[in-house]
Amino acid sequence: MKSIYLLRSSGQKRRLASSKNLLRRAALLCCLLLGTYVLTSCSAPGSQSQPITGKLRVTGSTALLPLAQEAGKLFEQQYPGTKIEVSGGGSGHGLDAVTAQQAEIGNSDIYANPAIYPDPNLTDHIVCVTPFEMITNPGITVPSLTQQQIIDIFSTGKINNWSQLGGPDLRITPIVRPSNSGTRATFRKYILGGRDEKGTLLTTDSSTTVRDTVAKTPGAIGYVAASYVANAIHTVEIDNQKGTVSTIASGKYNFWSYEHMYTLGGDDAALEAFLQFMLSSGVQQKAQEMGYVPINSMQTPGVASVSP
């Protein structure tokens, strides 16, 4: 049985099927590979006759940062001759770094726009899915917001006090991520419908900074990857839905993105081994434990494909 994957794209579909239909998150992509083959049948990176050695620089998406850091540590343990340096900075930074050959891997929450990154050697490796969540200061316990209410908080300004939503009489302070943030691009496209944001603009793209700023600012609201959710903040559903495998696959929850690792190709044994390692059952299980959705869980057999 073929695996069918949900697709979201800004027009860049390197190493994906050639379908050009971008019907939001519910659009479908014929399998990247047989899902079970990718995750369980591929030969282990350690099967090569030559030892895996070398240094890899991995940078970009802060949403993917926790998993990339954990995978880097596990990879170094398995291959002592390697060094994996992982940093954040935002999806834009990751794409800029890999295309400028300042990093071997550029992590991104969004597809690379070919108009901005035209290098034909730029290759996309999808490693998992990140559900994003709306978060508020713990003093705000509103359980759910509609998409329109979020628009009126972050964009139109029609809602500016929590009392308008059944909460306390307290001014709402939206926390806005910088323009190089892939999480912000996903939020603007799929939650705000392309609208601009208003609020307290952060100067660096750091999911930890977003979470901590929301936690310490009375009346604050923001958004982070599920992997950053902690007891210090309150999570808010969107239209009474949580970001789970079933709600994402059914199209009921729109605030999520594929996590991409972009490379410029080339014959690098350590790089190829690490990319395989990211799709291994061990790392994918770790991803699930950390709040990500393993890529094989995005298989939706029985869903009709969309015509291009």
Side-chain angles (χ1 to χ4, degrees), residues 2-21:
K2 291 185 178 180
S3 306
I4 303 176
Y5 292 80
L6 293 175
L7 169 67
R8 61 172 47 185
S9 172
S10 63
Q12 173 80 5
K13 304 181 182 66
R14 294 186 176 94
R15 294 191 66 180
L16 300 178
S18 60
S19 171
K20 295 183 180 179
N21 193 307

Side-chain angles (χ1 to χ4, degrees), residues 130-195:
T130 289
F132 298 103
E133 296 197 32
M134 303 302 303
I135 60 171
T136 62
N137 179 271
I140 306 300
T141 57
V142 173
S144 180
L145 293 171
T146 67
Q147 183 174 346
Q148 186 58 53
Q149 286 172 335
I150 297 173
I151 291 172
D152 288 338
I153 290 172
F154 277 88
S155 187
T156 69
K158 292 180 181 179
I159 298 178
N160 51 46
N161 193 293
W162 286 109
S163 63
Q164 296 174 261
L165 300 167
D169 183 10
L170 184 65
R171 184 175 67 88
I172 298 175
T173 301
I175 304 301
V176 180
R177 304 172 78 109
S179 59
N180 66 328
S181 167
T183 302
R184 181 183 182 182
T186 301
F187 179 68
R188 290 182 71 248
K189 182 174 182 179
Y190 295 106
I191 300 300
L192 299 186
R195 297 172 178 85

